[in-house]
Amino acid sequence: MTVGIKDVAKAAGVSPATVSRALSGGPVSEELRALVAAAVTATGYRPNLAARRLRSQQSGTIGLVVADLRNPFFTAVSRAVEDSAYRAGMRVILCNTDEDPEREALYLRLMQDERITGLIFAPTRTTLDQLGKRRLEFPTVLIDRSSPAGLYDCVVLDNREATAELVRHLVERGYRRIGGLFGNASVTGLERRNGYVAALSAAGLTPDFRLCAPSADAARAELATWFASRDRPEALVVSNSLFLSSAVRAARAAGLSIPNDLALAGFDNETWTELVEPGLTVIEQPVEEIGRQAMALLFERLQTPNLPVRKLVLSGRCIVRGSTAAR
């Protein structure tokens, strides 16, 4: 007889959902993970057999549709998703939309043609607005963007609070004219803008922000104009790592010294943010955890389709470096 997850759960004395989380790299203690591993060995359970049971008449493929692979955030999340899928004996189809709804629609049709088992999805604002009217045909977990009206499982960062933390840090360091640069194509950019506005308003300061297309060239052009104007900020918060690198380049091109002429803070603790001089203050997102949690939610949804919709909100960590030295 084929050994299934329920058999492993019984042998380990835990629930099938716990076994699923342990095997997919989800949030369980090391003690429980070891207990499940021992039960797998004792029962002869094979993850590839579980994958066949999950996919039934489907392809055994996980679809992964992300907004912008140039953004290191999505690169790291994609790696975590692929790792979890590999351990479950499944493959991944990865598509990049560049925040373009037309490309996104094309890739969603591809996922239907491939009869994917489930989807990990970072939708554009346009598609996110439509998801309440047009349900996707496969189990779906959203990443980096919240589900409308609780229709889909999702794993997100607390974007408002993360950006507010950067603003509060700058205020504490003595900065008052704090500008913001945020993406105009994603819900994430708008949530971070809202956190920026709320934190400045709470401090009794006036927000001054720009919205920008999600590309490094667009960000550099926007910042070049801003840095040359009379209303140039004394500190700047940007909403992603592409904008952060663009801000460094634009500041250098304008002859501005960081942090003497411009304090700078943003998102994603990439290696280069520590190596540049001075190091950059950033919010470190739990990118690997986001990918693992998304896959764990998807596997649980495949096992138990009628589970209540779940939303996991994770916190970032503020790493302070020289770019936001006190005035």
Side-chain angles (χ1 to χ4, degrees):
M1 294 180 63
T2 300
V3 176
I5 278 186
K6 289 184 179 179
D7 301 305
V8 177
K10 184 177 180 181
V14 299
S15 70
T18 298
V19 173
S20 238
R21 283 194 295 270
L23 294 179
S24 62
V28 299
S29 68
E30 290 306 313
E31 182 181 358
L32 268 179
R33 202 181 305 278
L35 187 64
V36 170
V40 166
T41 301
T43 59
Y45 173 80
R46 295 175 58 197
N48 62 323
L49 295 180
R52 293 191 187 103
R53 291 185 63 183
L54 286 176
R55 63 183 176 254
S56 185
Q57 298 302 312
Q58 298 176 337
S59 64
T61 301
I62 299 297
L64 175 58
V65 179
V66 300
D68 188 355
L69 269 179
R70 295 169 301 182
N71 187 332
F73 167 83
F74 286 113
T75 305
V77 169
S78 298
R79 174 61 186 268
V81 168
E82 194 277 334
D83 283 346
S84 294
Y86 175 78
R87 285 195 295 269
M90 307 182 86
R91 61 187 179 129
V92 174
I93 296 178
L94 171 61
C95 296
N96 170 62
T97 68
D98 277 341
E99 298 282 8
D100 181 347
E102 291 186 6
R103 286 180 66 174
E104 188 175 58
L106 172 66
Y107 292 141
L108 290 177
R109 288 194 295 271
L110 170 66
M111 298 302 168
Q112 291 175 339
D113 293 341
E114 291 290 332
R115 303 185 67 212
I116 61 172
T117 301
L119 177 67
I120 306 292
F121 188 22
T124 62
R125 287 177 59 195
T126 299
T127 298
L128 193 63
D129 291 340
Q130 297 172 351
L131 284 181
K133 306 172 185 176
R134 178 177 61 88
R135 294 296 301 269
L136 297 172
E137 298 180 5
F138 19 73
T140 300
V141 176
L142 304 187
I143 54 172
D144 198 44
R145 290 102 202 259
S146 295
S147 167
L151 295 177
Y152 298 95
D153 298 323
C154 61
V155 184
V156 297
L157 182 76
D158 190 342
N159 288 303
R160 285 179 61 104
E161 174 56 28
T163 315
E165 185 174 2
L166 290 178
V167 171
R168 290 192 296 267
H169 166 70
L170 288 167
V171 171
E172 290 169 359
R173 291 293 174 99
Y175 297 96
R176 294 297 178 263
R177 288 186 293 109
I178 302 172
L181 182 68
F182 305 97
N184 65 3
S186 72
V187 173
T188 301
L190 296 182
E191 288 177 348
R192 292 176 182 176
R193 179 205 65 184
N194 292 342
Y196 158 87
V197 170
L200 277 178
S201 299
L205 302 175
T206 302
D208 182 14
F209 64 86
R210 307 286 189 272
L211 296 178
C212 180
S215 79
D217 290 341
R220 281 200 298 272
E222 182 69 44
L223 291 171
T225 301
W226 198 0
F227 290 167
S229 68
R230 285 187 174 184
D231 63 347
R232 172 175 62 82
E234 61 187 16
L236 181 67
V237 173
V238 299
S239 64
N240 60 53
S241 59
L242 287 179
F243 287 2
L244 192 59
S245 62
S246 296
V248 172
R249 290 189 174 97
R252 288 176 176 172
L256 301 177
S257 170
I258 298 173
N260 297 328
D261 300 316
L262 177 75
L264 182 60
F267 279 78
D268 296 325
N269 188 29
E270 297 302 309
T271 301
W272 70 270
T273 63
E274 183 179 9
L275 297 178
V276 296
E277 184 61 38
L280 302 180
T281 294
V282 292
I283 293 291
E284 181 181 58
Q285 300 191 72
V287 286
E288 293 183 359
E289 183 70 7
I290 289 172
R292 287 196 300 267
Q293 293 277 18
M295 283 297 290
L297 289 181
L298 184 58
F299 281 131
E300 289 174 12
R301 177 66 57 190
L302 291 168
Q303 287 284 345
T304 314
N306 295 325
L307 282 173
V309 173
R310 295 147 304 167
K311 179 179 181 178
L312 298 183
V313 181
L314 305 180
S315 298
R317 181 170 69 101
C318 184
I319 298 176
V320 177
R321 299 192 179 108
S323 68
T324 56
R327 293 199 68 200

